Amino acid sequence: MRTPHIQTHQPAQSDGPPAERVPLGRNPYDELASLADDPPDDLLAGDTTGTRRDDDSEEPWAPPNHRRGSRRRNRATGLPTIVRFLAWTLTLACLVTLADRWALLYAEHKASARLKDELDLAAAPEVRIAGFPFLTQLAARRLDSVQVTVPDIPAQRVTLTQVTADADDIRIDGDGPTAVRGALVRRMHGRVLLSFADMNRELGASQVAFTAHGPGGVRARGSLRIGGRDLRVRADTRIRRDGDRGIAASVDGMRLDIGDLATYRPGTGPSEGLHLTRASARRLTREAEKIKAFLSIPEIVHRLGVPDGAVRAALHDEDRLHRLTGAPRFLHRLTRVNLVDAALAHPRLLERLGLDLSLLTALTKLTRPQIADRFSFAFRLPKPPAGDLRLQRVSVGKDGIRADVSASGLLLGH
């Protein structure tokens, strides 16, 4: 058997240093472990080919720009600064506005209380000071405009429903809203209202209603209880200005209707007294017995203006009676006869006509001033301690009586 020949490889000789020989019997795993514990520099560097390729693709390095970063920081931090500034400005404006409004309300309240005490009013007036801001007006001691509304002012028998005044160019005497001593009103325009609702309550006593009757007249319609009977009442009132500060009412055209039988007008004039209505006069002429009784009274015949011979012939002849009483002129004359004296002298005549003697007695005792007093009224504006206050125009509207007021140089609070 032939033994194989093992050829040992000898390293080639070279001019460089001899290669390091691995000693025999050394474990290669120990070398790997030593490499893991302390890797050589060339291994740590590794292959940087890929890394260099990536670095070449990026932008070249440049030093940091600190100014650009500061601009970004200023933009980021500047916005909250503006917001804070605006918030403080808005808060300050709100506080100033609240202070101005508080001073305004306080001044209005003090003015209202002072007017109530000086004018002896039942209710405090409503005061409104115009213009903004108020504190600057107060500092200048001059108010542009003030509106005052006073409700329910007693004026003799009636109550003025509302008095509204607009004052302009007001000079203040004082050092602040809490130390105002008085005021000088250069100009003022006002309006006075006397409503029909208040007149109905105070004058009519729920039995008479007042309404407008033309531009300067007031009509009263309702009922009055006289002699145990409710009689319809009518009255016309003319409104007029009484001097520079007063308003008065003159009552005329008063009448009391006794059903559709007769009408009573207080007074002694030709059209006043007790008169038959046209309807009752027509019924009277159609009843022969009643008209004969009526013509049998000389006082009535004399007031009719009919000749005595014609009356005597009519009392004895039915045809002549119908011709006399059927004429339109006779009917007109009959309604103009005042029955007061004749009825009192001939009580039975009242019974024939359907009138009650007690009612006629009560009517004759009711004089014209007594009836007129039920519907008359008047009021005057107070005289100011200084300045000029006067009524300009008086008119009648649907809601009541209105009057325009003007004033100048009014001195208040002194």
Side-chain angles (χ1 to χ4, degrees), residues 236-258:
D236 294 330
T237 303
R238 304 300 301 177
I239 308 300
R240 57 183 176 84
R241 192 176 65 178
D242 184 13
D244 292 335
R245 300 189 311 275
I247 293 179
S250 57
V251 182
D252 54 5
M254 291 179 296
R255 54 181 287 184
L256 297 171
D257 295 333
I258 308 172

Side-chain angles (χ1 to χ4, degrees), residues 38-77:
D38 189 14
D41 295 338
D42 55 352
L43 184 61
L44 289 176
D47 186 7
T48 60
T49 304
T51 304
R52 290 175 181 175
R53 186 180 297 113
D54 296 335
D55 292 340
D56 293 340
S57 62
E58 295 181 355
E59 295 180 359
W61 179 88
N65 189 349
H66 298 286
R67 294 182 178 179
R68 182 183 301 176
S70 62
R71 290 179 181 175
R72 293 179 179 176
R73 285 193 298 272
N74 289 338
R75 292 175 181 175
T77 59

